[in-house]
Amino acid sequence: VSATIEDVARRASVSVATVSRALRGLPNVAPSTRDRVVGAARELQYVADPAASRLAGRRALRVGLLVPDLGSWYHAQLLTGVEGVLAGGDCDLLPFSLASTGGIERFLDAWPFLKRVDGLIVADGPIEDAQVERVADAGVALVTAGVLIDETPGLAIDNAAAVRRAVSHLVGLGHRRIAWLGGVRPAFGGRVASELVTASPSVGSERFRGFLDGLAAAGVVPEPRLLVPTEASFDGGADAMHRLLALAEPPTAVVAHCDPIAIGAMQVARDAGLAVPGGLSIVGIDDHDVSAHVGLTTIAQDPVSQGAGAARILVDYLTEGSAEVVHEIAPVRLVVRRTTGIPSARGVP
Amino acid sequence: VSATIEDVARRASVSVATVSRALRGLPNVAPSTRDRVVGAARELQYVADPAASRLAGRRALRVGLLVPDLGSWYHAQLLTGVEGVLAGGDCDLLPFSLASTGGIERFLDAWPFLKRVDGLIVADGPIEDAQVERVADAGVALVTAGVLIDETPGLAIDNAAAVRRAVSHLVGLGHRRIAWLGGVRPAFGGRVASELVTASPSVGSERFRGFLDGLAAAGVVPEPRLLVPTEASFDGGADAMHRLLALAEPPTAVVAHCDPIAIGAMQVARDAGLAVPGGLSIVGIDDHDVSAHVGLTTIAQDPVSQGAGAARILVDYLTEGSAEVVHEIAPVRLVVRRTTGIPSARGVP
DNA sequence: CTGAAAGCGCTTACAG
DNA sequence: CTGAAAGCGCTTACAG
């Protein structure tokens, strides 16, 4: 159906070995020969069959991107960044969603895939040491995005610092009764912090830790009722706010694990007659596309460039085989808009 | 590094041909033999090298998904649906963004890719007849998503009907001065409708046509100033609304090509002191995750299941080689929330 | 600088 | 039901 390397070789009157070298830009090809080969290839619209190249070259030329949910804003942006870097190259990008796989353990069990990929970008975590090892044993290069893990290359914002910044913004405004809407383990009981310390790092645990640290820095003792576990979505934020509103003594401010949570929470608060920021201040993390349009104060990050950065780390690692573990920290910045202000007298104890 | 088919053959005391047949579930393998082979494969953690399978089997086992922007809500949902269907199969899913490729023509010029893919799902359009032909000539199965094209399988909502429904909702409330925020060609001049008729179908042109049809059905003559070309994003909607507000005689209602546009527009209107829906009614299309939380009235669709449906059409086509051109219409429904109401006296001429 | 040949790990007629 | 063999289209030592 399409031209093969033999067709090109015949047309250029050289051997297939020479065609292979010439087209891939390898050294030891006479310039005139190279021109002839390139011309023949163009005329025949020839392009190497990737399956054959991969088999002969013993390289998969594929990388996977594993995210919790391809449909979520953050992960879609991350994918966009990764795709932008890989587009045009000859390395395939394979997106995978934990939602359709059923957890990272199940994903790793799918060896049929894992064995045949050169690299894998895993977003968010948590990923256990044993799982990192499984990936390494398969000979697959691993890069994390969104969270950093010891001994594994990755790119992330400083999640804890980002949340601390949000907390300090609120504390600076005078808030002390601050709620957290995010990935808190359901059964944290009194051992909130210690449990998280032992768990593998994840975006959720890091941000929660930042929240606790931020409170501690302000001399505020965290109140368990103000720590609300939430799914990272608009709906999750709405649910969480309903629970907060049911409290005898609601918070004067909330920090959300991400902007969708913050926005879902904001609407519920307003619908309940609570002014934002008059009666309740809200800070998110992301700077989601919609956040400017709803006036959300947030810690802004750029997931597209994070995806691009993670992809570059992986590509470098694959091409140069550099053994060093690079950890890149992506920048964030506080964007103050219209959902934070000084606390009203009402909510303060 | 990993076990090969030879290792399995040796361990099961059969030939590699038998291993190949047994593991792929082909007929003409004795049950006892098959069990032995399957057992050996499991013990060795064997899985066929896809590059070798593809080369020998003369199948690419890859499909592409081409969308305008992987980061946009609609397309991220679409990808989620496609991935859900393909996950676990042995067919690779390759996402491509026109944003990083630079237009569909440039994408098709990237023959290196196109030649080595079994199928391609193209979202939104427009895709010209000549482009459809190029894909066909490359032996690649084509499926459209979001818009339907003659002679090409696809899955979409009835875009025109969806917008007509939005218009009739507004007309039913008493609106006559209705604006359109969406993909209008910049230079439509007086020839609005005729230009779009000759263009290849796209989500933008179909929806705009539905808007004009909806007005016509209500006996309303479209006013060029109320037809505002817009990028499909929150920012685009905000920009468009600024232009609308600058009009001497603003509309009493707007229909947006998609929810992000509607929401961006809504905030600008409110910030300008225009009550929604008191002073301005707004309808979107999508039912974006955030729409319920901002109370947006919209024409709801389900892009995840659209992606899944398109993927299934492609897979069926690839596996069964059915020659019939299936066109599936996905359902939509009007969801009335809090951004539409009867027009105020003010805006009516 | 170039070519002949082996080999990558499978699948698929073809015999039996 | 099973196996020996050819072949898929490349890449890579190895000679020259």
Side-chain angles (χ1 to χ4, degrees), chain A residues 236-251:
Chain A
D239 292 347
M241 182 52 72
H242 277 124
R243 268 176 284 164
L244 238 31
L245 290 174
L247 257 36
E249 213 176 326

Side-chain angles (χ1 to χ4, degrees), chain A residues 18 150 204 260:
Chain A
T18 299
D150 288 344

